[in-house]
Amino acid sequence: MRFKTSIRNIQTFSKLTASLSSLGKVAWVRLDDDTVRFTIIPETGTQVWASLLIDSIFEDYTIQSAAPNNTINLELPLTPLHRALKSAINASSASIRLTKREGVPVLSLTIITNTISSGNSANGFLNGANQDPFGDNAFREEHLDAGKDREAIITQDIPVRVLTADSVEGIHEPRVREPDAHIILPSLIQLKAISDRFTKLAMATSTSAGRGGTAGNNVPKLELAANMHGGLKLSISTDALNISSVWTGLTNPELDPRQVEDGVEEHPSTKLKAAGPDAWSTVRIDGRDWGKVLSVGRLGGRVIACFANDNALILYVYLSNYEDGTDESVLTYYISSFSV
Amino acid sequence: MAILNFTLNPEALGKLHDALALLSVFKGRIGDPTRERDTAIERCDVSVEDEEGKTKSRFVIKIVCRHGVIKTYRLTFESVAPMHALFVKENANNNWSISSKTLREFVEHFGPGTEQLDICSEDGRVSLTSYTEKIVSGNEILKQPLRTTIAIDALEFAEFAVEEQLHIGISVKDFKSIITHAGITNTIVKALYSHPTCPMQLTYSEEGIFSEFILMTIGESRGASAAPALNASRAGSKRPAPRQSLGATSTSKMAATSDMPPPPPGAGPSRGREASHGRISRPSPPPPQPSIQVNELFVPVGEDDRRWDPVNYEDEEEMLLWDTGAEKNSATMNSSRNLQGQEAQPQLNASLANVAENQGRQPSPTQRLAPTQRMSEIKGVFDD
């Protein structure tokens, strides 16, 4: 079993880790010849299935295992990974390999940074070693060296568990019925700011009504709805308030006929579209969980939301790739809707 | 009878605060001059009362504020012979020194949760490794802290004269705290040590404060080649030099890797966190909590990326509400603060003469008067 790669884009990898870690502490990582997949399945809340092209974060990628397609399954804690990647932010290069440290499997992150040698040149003055500027020592090696960068090699070992193929066999991506509406979401930072504010308001009004208590569980749910005419509606209602924001002029992407089994005409979204702009598909979601989901906005991807009325909301986050291929790196978020 | 009296101006009070910051009454009360308007400090009188035969010695700090407010702190103290870890400089044949800023940059790479720091050099490269020895299994493996190794060129150091391949281990938490403190100003940190199990001394000075730390050390217990026979020579820890003077790399390697028992009882004081010399005996302020600082220092991803983090609704104070809750909130905060102070430092008999609403100890929380000020407006005694 062998896995070794350079990190092509440390920023993206770090942001990906940050986004994922808001939903769960441990990820199941599946590496093979073609893709890198990160899966987060928390006990409650949103699942993430992130499938990335190798080129989008790695380069010089080598993988080898006894399994078909050289698959390696790992259980990887995200907090240490994110912490380790922080060390690499200003690195000149960084690479990862799967290895063992004292019998424990680790993902070893090797980071090479150039240190600015200002520290030492300052010390040169303090040493005051060079008494005679015209002596034999006037052009010591130290002086030549002073302007040169030196390397510091930082190794961060992240503990991992190597999973057997059997143990992950039963884990499948959720299946959701064909959505009633699909729409490209507006700026996620805007959406996040408004969602967070709504949730805060709802918590404030409901906790004051309920005199503290178990405020966490009784928080009213956010209602998110879309139509097939470019409209998105975010609302929340409590005993004390009813508030909503509406976006218009958004894009409902066209369905690809090749990917729709029963034909575009029979698709639920076609029917919703025909029902006009007042026909909405609605889901109820937990504001705090939604806030964690929207943390993916830092990756700057294009986000399509698919609404299965009263059932589920699925977000597809497409990351821009280096090569303009047909395949894309996509993060899929499965958010189930709360009942009324 | 007062044996010493002096008066401080407000600026000097800041320095006094630094010196006393280790006492919990004064902890975190570093002032913000911009909000020192109403109760600005005009003068501070300090006296030390210590008399033979008297049961109590007191260190009295009297702060004279504007509007005739006088705050008096009476700190009881007991004179004891200063405890100082033993460090035999002559035996410390290994030494290095490095810019505190450079060292701090390296130390920032250490993640949280590790226990030991191993320092070793070989072929002109110096390795600093932070690790934890705890043996875990199963799911717990994933909770292991990051193990971090930083390999740097010995040329990063201003001076570096250390025995090749000598592994020496110290507490990573202590080291981080010290370096975070030293890294506030650009100074030179010097380390002196002999061999594992003998104390290591770290020193630096800045703006008249000379800081000296003596740290307990251990050898590399991770190494497989433990040589118990060498344990006998540990008794001779007063004379570490002879062993090192054997010179042979292999010998010293074995010494370093011999397994580590707890330090002998006599080494107790060497655990002493710090000891300070100087014209005035004055402890340096406690180093800032590294766990917070460390993260802040990675600016590049910082601020902008943080807006994407999920909101922590529990911690949010600010709420779009009318101000009805403000009084209640400050009352709770006030009480918790007082309680903390009492719990943490019961032996510290800091009584307060005139300003009861600020620092005063009420007999019980129920008898407390409602505060008339918000916490944010309250000035602490040492908030200068």
Side-chain angles (χ1 to χ4, degrees), chain A residues 179-244:
Chain A
D180 305 297
H182 43 260
I183 193 160
I184 297 179
L185 290 185
S187 145
L188 288 202
I189 195 69
Q190 198 183 72
L191 193 57
K192 185 175 189 297
I194 294 171
S195 302
D196 287 346
R197 175 54 77 186
F198 279 18
T199 307
K200 254 190 227 178
L201 282 170
M203 286 174 86
T205 51
S206 60
T207 48
S208 58
R211 274 177 228 139
T214 53
N217 300 324
N218 302 326
V219 176
K221 302 295 177 248
L222 282 173
E223 270 190 16
L224 193 62
N227 64 18
M228 284 301 288
H229 295 266
L232 179 77
K233 190 162 67 181
L234 179 69
S235 48
I236 200 160
S237 54
T238 69
D239 297 343
L241 69 89
N242 200 337
I243 179 167
S244 67

Side-chain angles (χ1 to χ4, degrees), chain A residues 11 14-15 18 22 26 75-77 80 83-84 86-87 89-90 101-102 104 115-116 119-120 123 126-127 145 150-161 188-189 192 195-197 199-201 203-204 287-288 291-292 294-295 297-298, chain B residues 97-99 102 105-112 125 132 136 138-139 141-153 155-159 176 186 188 222 294-295 298 300-301 305-311 313-314 316 318-321:
Chain A
Q11 285 279 1
S14 176
K15 285 177 179 180
S22 67
V26 178
E75 206 171 24
L76 175 65
R83 183 63 185 72
K86 269 188 181 174
S87 280
I89 290 298
N90 294 319
R101 189 83 63 197
E102 285 150 38
V104 178
T115 59
I116 303 134
N120 199 41
N123 298 340
L126 288 171
N127 287 341
D145 185 63
R150 276 188 287 267
E151 276 182 356
I153 300 166
I154 300 143
T155 318
Q156 300 274 24
D157 288 341
I158 305 139
V160 292
R161 288 210 309 157
L188 288 202
I189 195 69
K192 185 175 189 297
S195 302
D196 287 346
R197 175 54 77 186
T199 307
K200 254 190 227 178
L201 282 170
M203 286 174 86
R288 285 168 300 179
K292 294 175 189 171
L294 291 179
S295 146
R298 71 184 92 213
Chain B
S97 61
I98 188 168
S99 144
T102 309
E105 272 174 40
F106 294 134
V107 167
E108 278 165 16
H109 292 289
F110 296 135
R125 299 290 288 181
T132 303
V136 290
N139 263 325
I141 282 178
L142 299 183
K143 291 178 185 158
Q144 282 258 60
L146 275 181
R147 177 201 153 107
T148 309
T149 301
I150 302 167
I152 46 177
D153 204 311
L155 290 171
E156 298 283 352
F157 291 78
E159 291 165 66
K176 273 167 90 171
N186 199 1
I188 298 287
R222 292 168 297 140
V294 163
N295 284 337
F298 289 94
V301 251
D305 205 51
R306 210 165 288 167
R307 64 190 178 149
W308 292 107
D309 289 339
V311 176
Y313 293 100
E314 278 72 30
E316 287 286 302
E318 187 213 359
M319 194 67 87
L320 198 62
L321 286 172

Side-chain angles (χ1 to χ4, degrees), chain A:
Chain A
M1 195 172 280
R2 202 168 289 167
F3 167 61
K4 191 175 189 301
T5 183
S6 294
I7 303 175
R8 175 180 193 149
N9 194 329
I10 293 159
Q11 285 279 1
T12 305
F13 194 21
S14 176
K15 285 177 179 180
L16 174 77
T17 312
S19 304
L20 296 176
S21 67
S22 67
L23 284 162
K25 294 286 161 235
V26 178
W28 161 34
V29 181
R30 199 194 65 175
L31 305 152
D32 64 28
D33 282 337
D34 314 307
T35 52
V36 182
R37 203 175 68 187
F38 290 84
T39 305
I40 314 275
I41 306 179
E43 281 179 26
T44 57
T46 298
Q47 282 193 19
V48 195
W49 291 69
S51 179
L52 302 153
L53 297 180
I54 285 155
D55 289 345
S56 60
I57 45 172
F58 296 143
E59 61 190 346
D60 301 328
Y61 177 94
T62 49
I63 189 160
Q64 195 189 328
S65 83
N69 217 11
N70 290 315
T71 306
I72 295 177
N73 288 291
L74 300 175
E75 206 171 24
L76 175 65
L78 292 169
T79 314
L81 174 64
H82 189 229
R83 183 63 185 72
L85 287 168
K86 269 188 181 174
S87 280
I89 290 298
N90 294 319
S92 50
S93 78
S95 62
I96 297 184
R97 72 198 163 92
L98 181 64
T99 181
K100 274 196 173 186
R101 189 83 63 197
E102 285 150 38
V104 178
V106 292
L107 269 188
S108 185
L109 179 63
T110 305
I111 299 152
I112 298 173
T113 59
N114 288 321
T115 59
I116 303 134
S117 52
S118 60
N120 199 41
S121 53
N123 298 340
F125 293 111
L126 288 171
N127 287 341
N130 230 347
Q131 297 284 328
D132 178 9
F134 301 106
D136 289 341
N137 281 338
F139 301 103
R140 288 192 311 172
E141 219 174 7
E142 201 177 297
H143 287 256
L144 292 169
D145 185 63
K148 211 176 77 181
D149 280 354
R150 276 188 287 267
E151 276 182 356
I153 300 166
I154 300 143
T155 318
Q156 300 274 24
D157 288 341
I158 305 139
V160 292
R161 288 210 309 157
V162 180
L163 303 174
T164 60
D166 298 352
S167 63
V168 293
E169 204 175 22
I171 310 174
H172 295 292
E173 201 157 346
R175 281 221 202 134
V176 184
R177 66 173 172 84
E178 287 296 319
D180 305 297
H182 43 260
I183 193 160
I184 297 179
L185 290 185
S187 145
L188 288 202
I189 195 69
Q190 198 183 72
L191 193 57
K192 185 175 189 297
I194 294 171
S195 302
D196 287 346
R197 175 54 77 186
F198 279 18
T199 307
K200 254 190 227 178
L201 282 170
M203 286 174 86
T205 51
S206 60
T207 48
S208 58
R211 274 177 228 139
T214 53
N217 300 324
N218 302 326
V219 176
K221 302 295 177 248
L222 282 173
E223 270 190 16
L224 193 62
N227 64 18
M228 284 301 288
H229 295 266
L232 179 77
K233 190 162 67 181
L234 179 69
S235 48
I236 200 160
S237 54
T238 69
D239 297 343
L241 69 89
N242 200 337
I243 179 167
S244 67
S245 272
V246 180
W247 284 262
T248 53
L250 303 176
T251 307
N252 301 102
E254 292 294 323
L255 287 174
D256 182 351
R258 286 171 298 173
Q259 291 188 9
V260 184
E261 280 179 21
D262 300 333
V264 173
E265 290 76 21
E266 291 299 310
H267 195 268
S269 67
T270 313
K271 291 172 184 166
L272 194 75
K273 189 171 189 175
D278 290 332
W280 298 85
S281 176
T282 308
V283 290
R284 270 163 299 278
I285 52 184
D286 179 75
R288 285 168 300 179
D289 185 53
W290 179 239
K292 294 175 189 171
V293 170
L294 291 179
S295 146
V296 75
R298 71 184 92 213
L299 279 163
R302 201 162 49 96
V303 186
I304 298 177
C306 292
F307 290 74
N309 195 42
D310 285 340
N311 182 4
L313 173 67
I314 302 147
L315 296 191
Y316 296 98
V317 182
Y318 294 95
L319 303 185
S320 45
N321 284 313
Y322 288 84
E323 282 91 33
D324 291 318
T326 44
D327 290 329
E328 278 186 290
S329 294
V330 60
L331 283 69
T332 312
Y333 285 78
Y334 295 93
I335 308 155
S336 44
S337 173
F338 286 83
S339 50
V340 186

Side-chain angles (χ1 to χ4, degrees), chain B residues 57-77:
Chain B
S57 310
R58 290 183 195 278
F59 186 74
V60 184
I61 302 157
K62 194 180 195 180
I63 296 166
V64 182
C65 303
R66 212 173 285 168
H67 307 308
V69 176
I70 300 170
K71 305 174 187 178
T72 309
Y73 285 85
R74 293 170 174 277
L75 310 182
T76 51
F77 69 89

